[in-house]
Amino acid sequence: MDLLKNVNGKMLRCGYTTGSCATAATKAAMSMLLTGKRISSVVIHTPVGFDVTTEVLDISMDREKVRCAVRKDPGDDPDVTRDMLVYSEVSLCDSGVHISGGEGIGRVTRPGLDQPVGEYAINSVPRRMIAEAVQEVSAMYGYSGGADIEISIPGGEAVARRTFNPRMGIEGGLSILGTSGIVEPMSCKALTETTNVLIKQCRARGNTRILLTPGNYGYEFAENDLGLDMSYNVNCSNFIGGALDRCAELGFTRILLVGHIGKLVKLGIGATNTHSSEGDGRLDCLIRCALEAGAPLQALQELDRCVTTDAGLDVLRRYEACRRTMDVLGKKIGDTLERRVPADIETGFVCFTRSEGHRGVLCRSENAFSIIPARR
């Protein structure tokens, strides 16, 4: 029976992680190696308590080793690894369970990840799952020796270029991931975990200051328009509050946020998850700020009919109220950032627009350009 999850009123099918695929392929290969008999499916136990049954594919057997694959099924979650074959090749040894990577598995090149620099990017939970599967099969057939295991994903190196791996310092292929063994459809969990890892890596390089950008617009503006040193940068997506919390936990002392007004305006009403599914409030905040700035009633009424922040900015410019409104918004953004982190952490921000003819900074904290240095 498929495991389902209710997402925005729709029942969507869960899938399983690359870690579960590698575990299933290893368990199947180990079973065939010890019995000499082919199997067509295998059941594994995931860390969250659900059993996963998978088909065993592309079996290659001889007396010394067995290689087989499991097809990646992410359920209804969009995933670049969908339908890729995750292989495990198992051979016997004197003792222990030794796990390595082969074709399509990346290597760690920067500190701060789950595995040390130089190791294959097979994370600790999948490693534990694989080892436990080997031990389970060994006990079943009375085997007391060890196993050498090589995990591979043909085509993984090319697909990895479309993931966060290159930015995180994983080169040459994909990662074997998963803490639960299950992929939840359309979940923000994976993206949040990636952001947390990138923040941890930035801290591991000895940095106590960090540049957060909620998306590609923020990155491009910080790099091209502001000329900031992007070695301090982490893309926090919509999860600004969570990123601030993580920075505080890891000991950062100076945090600069650079974002488009479409995102940062929501901080003006205290919202630190800026995803549209969490609510909107963009124009409501602009109207409130414009009211405090003394904009005329007609401007407020026109703002209420706008559907984008850039359209709202055009209204404010026509009524010569944009500068004053942005000053009010800037104070509200600054207050939200200060409330989110401990008092000994310095925060700053730059809020900008990319609208044609008006591209540039709308409001910023006074300390914005002292937190992150310009690139050399």
Side-chain angles (χ1 to χ4, degrees), residues 213-225:
T213 52
N216 292 329
Y217 285 174
Y219 182 95
E220 292 168 2
F221 192 85
E223 181 179 43
N224 299 328
D225 293 66

Side-chain angles (χ1 to χ4, degrees), residues 241-310:
L244 291 169
D245 295 343
R246 187 62 172 152
C247 289
E249 291 170 5
L250 291 174
F252 285 93
T253 59
R254 308 181 80 187
I255 305 170
L256 177 64
L257 176 67
V258 176
H260 186 270
I261 187 173
K263 296 289 186 186
L264 265 56
V265 69
K266 296 183 181 182
L267 273 67
I269 52 174
T272 56
N273 182 337
T274 59
H275 196 281
S276 57
S277 66
E278 297 295 317
D280 195 348
R282 291 168 300 159
L283 277 303
D284 301 88
C285 184
L286 275 187
I287 292 170
R288 178 180 172 183
C289 292
L291 177 63
E292 290 187 36
L297 176 60
Q298 189 172 353
L300 303 181
Q301 291 172 333
E302 289 189 32
L303 279 174
D304 193 43
R305 294 193 290 270
C306 293
V307 294
T308 67
T309 51
D310 281 333

Side-chain angles (χ1 to χ4, degrees), residues 39-331:
I39 60 176
S40 59
S41 66
V42 66
V43 180
I44 65 164
H45 314 294
T46 64
V48 290
F50 294 107
D51 287 349
V52 170
T53 302
T54 65
E55 186 181 4
V56 181
L57 304 169
D58 199 15
I59 300 168
S60 175
M61 296 178 63
D62 61 39
R63 290 185 178 181
E64 303 298 326
K65 61 182 181 296
V66 173
R67 184 174 187 260
C68 64
V70 165
R71 192 177 302 279
K72 177 66 161 61
D73 178 7
D76 289 326
D77 194 61
D79 191 326
V80 296
T81 63
R82 178 182 296 276
D83 290 333
M84 297 190 78
L85 293 181
V86 180
Y87 284 83
S88 179
E89 182 176 286
V90 179
S91 57
L92 303 181
C93 64
D94 291 338
S95 63
V97 177
H98 310 281
I99 302 169
S100 66
E103 178 186 359
I105 304 299
R107 280 187 184 269
V108 176
T109 65
R110 298 179 193 165
L113 293 172
D114 182 272
Q115 295 295 301
V117 172
E119 185 55 80
Y120 284 102
I122 304 172
N123 279 8
S124 53
V125 172
R127 285 177 183 270
R128 186 175 72 246
M129 292 171 65
I130 291 169
E132 289 173 352
V134 168
Q135 292 160 6
E136 179 187 348
V137 175
S138 297
M140 187 182 305
Y141 296 109
Y143 174 69
S144 59
D148 291 324
I149 298 156
E150 182 183 273
I151 307 299
S152 59
I153 306 178
E157 183 172 3
V159 172
R161 299 189 191 106
R162 295 154 53 193
T163 71
F164 274 98
N165 276 16
R167 191 179 298 181
M168 293 170 66
I170 298 173
E171 297 182 359
L174 293 164
S175 306
I176 302 298
L177 301 171
T179 56
S180 67
I182 300 295
V183 175
E184 296 184 7
M186 303 180 73
S187 169
C188 296
K189 183 179 179 181
L191 186 55
T192 302
E193 288 179 350
T194 297
T195 299
N196 288 341
V197 168
L198 291 170
I199 293 171
K200 183 179 178 183
Q201 281 188 315
C202 186
R203 187 70 181 92
R205 293 195 296 271
N207 294 326
T208 56
R209 64 182 79 193
I210 190 169
L211 168 62
L212 298 177
T213 52
N216 292 329
Y217 285 174
Y219 182 95
E220 292 168 2
F221 192 85
E223 181 179 43
N224 299 328
D225 293 66
L226 302 181
L228 300 182
D229 185 343
M230 302 308 289
S231 66
Y232 295 94
N233 175 246
V234 168
N235 182 339
C236 64
S237 188
N238 292 294
F239 312 111
I240 296 172
L244 291 169
D245 295 343
R246 187 62 172 152
C247 289
E249 291 170 5
L250 291 174
F252 285 93
T253 59
R254 308 181 80 187
I255 305 170
L256 177 64
L257 176 67
V258 176
H260 186 270
I261 187 173
K263 296 289 186 186
L264 265 56
V265 69
K266 296 183 181 182
L267 273 67
I269 52 174
T272 56
N273 182 337
T274 59
H275 196 281
S276 57
S277 66
E278 297 295 317
D280 195 348
R282 291 168 300 159
L283 277 303
D284 301 88
C285 184
L286 275 187
I287 292 170
R288 178 180 172 183
C289 292
L291 177 63
E292 290 187 36
L297 176 60
Q298 189 172 353
L300 303 181
Q301 291 172 333
E302 289 189 32
L303 279 174
D304 193 43
R305 294 193 290 270
C306 293
V307 294
T308 67
T309 51
D310 281 333
L313 291 174
D314 287 339
V315 170
L316 292 170
R317 291 187 188 102
R318 282 206 316 274
Y319 287 92
E320 298 183 349
C322 190
R323 180 71 274 150
R324 300 192 308 275
T325 300
M326 291 301 101
D327 288 343
V328 175
L329 175 62
K331 185 177 186 308

